[in-house]
Amino acid sequence: MLNKRDLGLGLLVVVIWALNTVAIKFVTNEVEPFTGLAFRLVIASLVFLPFVRPIARDKFWTLAQITFLICVLHWASLIWSIERLDASMAAILLQLQVIFSLLWGFLFFGERFGIKTGIGILVGIFGVVILVGVPETPPPLTGIIGMIFTTLVLSLGYARMKGLQGVSPLNYIALTHILSAGPILALAFLFEKPMDMNWNQINHTNLIGALVFQVFLVSFSHMLWQRLMS
């Protein structure tokens, strides 16, 4: 059974991630999505660089897989999707990760769940169908597909994270940001024009506030989640 302390910490992580969808919306309102994510990763890499420590090759390979799934595929597709959806809709759809995580636990780790959890999964799927199909103005299908993909790769990253042992949270967050900064910068220069931004038209208060929230609080939540998963 999950103890109350771990349950409370897990709920704190979920709250921070829900608020992060709002922060992402602030960022994408000011700059292009991949450019905004590149800002976050580069700043966080510099902040956490002093905490980098060498790790064994097998652990590094596992961490590289987690980085690719969560920090590259998930974060890139998440901000791409949120740009096309309301922040509240995105925050709700992000909870599909719970359903996918349960399924991966069943397939990869032989974890079992009871009838109540099974009913919960069906209710969750039914809720997504209602959100997508019932409103008079349905959300863009591209955004919905993007959110399904982003929760799928995120939950795969969680499953892989269970195999990562003996890496401190600070070292984990430092290495994942450093390893993912390059690919995201490449995406920014490939699909956007970060060097041509008009800084005079940017609301610097909104952009800096959102980036500070992501670099520190969201990074803290990922460190906490890594410890809970392991």
Side-chain angles (χ1 to χ4, degrees):
M1 286 293 292
L2 192 67
N3 64 50
K4 292 182 179 179
R5 174 181 173 276
D6 288 347
L7 178 60
L9 292 174
L11 290 174
L12 175 62
V13 170
V14 172
V15 170
I16 293 175
W17 287 349
L19 291 173
N20 187 41
T21 61
V22 179
I24 291 173
K25 202 69 176 178
F26 274 112
V27 172
T28 55
N29 283 342
E30 305 303 329
V31 297
E32 296 291 334
F34 295 142
T35 300
L37 180 56
F39 282 156
R40 168 189 172 183
L41 293 175
V42 170
I43 295 170
S45 295
L46 295 174
V47 168
F48 294 105
L49 181 61
F51 301 101
V52 172
R53 299 292 183 272
I55 60 176
R57 182 178 297 180
D58 58 334
K59 292 181 181 179
F60 181 83
W61 173 239
T62 301
L63 187 138
Q65 294 175 51
I66 295 169
T67 300
F68 179 69
L69 288 168
I70 295 180
C71 302
V72 178
L73 291 182
H74 164 59
W75 286 352
S77 58
L78 177 63
I79 62 169
W80 183 87
S81 302
I82 288 178
E83 190 183 27
R84 291 157 175 76
L85 298 171
D86 295 333
S88 57
M89 174 69 72
I92 293 171
L93 290 174
L94 191 58
Q95 303 316 309
L96 283 171
Q97 62 183 291
V98 177
I99 297 174
F100 286 131
S101 295
L102 284 168
L103 295 177
W104 299 140
F106 174 77
L107 291 175
F108 297 150
F109 305 109
E111 297 175 355
R112 298 291 184 266
F113 49 82
I115 185 66
K116 292 181 180 179
T117 303
I119 293 173
I121 292 175
L122 293 176
V123 170
I125 295 173
F126 183 64
V128 171
V129 172
I130 292 176
L131 283 172
V132 174
V134 171
E136 293 184 3
T137 307
L141 184 59
T142 53
I144 299 298
I145 294 174
M147 287 303 298
I148 293 173
F149 174 79
T150 199
T151 54
L152 177 64
V153 295
L154 176 62
S155 60
L156 279 172
Y158 291 163
R160 199 68 190 95
M161 196 182 292
K162 290 183 72 68
L164 185 67
Q165 304 288 337
V167 178
S168 72
L170 280 171
N171 197 19
Y172 165 81
I173 205 68
L175 288 171
T176 53
H177 279 83
I178 292 169
L179 290 174
S180 58
I184 296 300
L185 277 169
L187 288 175
F189 280 96
L190 183 62
F191 294 106
E192 302 165 356
K193 297 180 179 179
M195 302 302 293
D196 296 337
M197 286 192 308
N198 187 344
W199 287 95
N200 294 323
Q201 294 182 351
I202 293 175
N203 186 322
H204 295 88
T205 300
N206 288 348
L207 179 61
I208 293 173
L211 289 174
V212 167
F213 174 83
Q214 292 181 324
V215 169
F216 292 99
L217 273 179
V218 176
S219 294
F220 166 75
S221 71
H222 281 282
M223 288 189 287
L224 187 58
W225 189 253
Q226 183 258 343
R227 177 56 60 89
L228 289 170
M229 289 296 292
S230 62

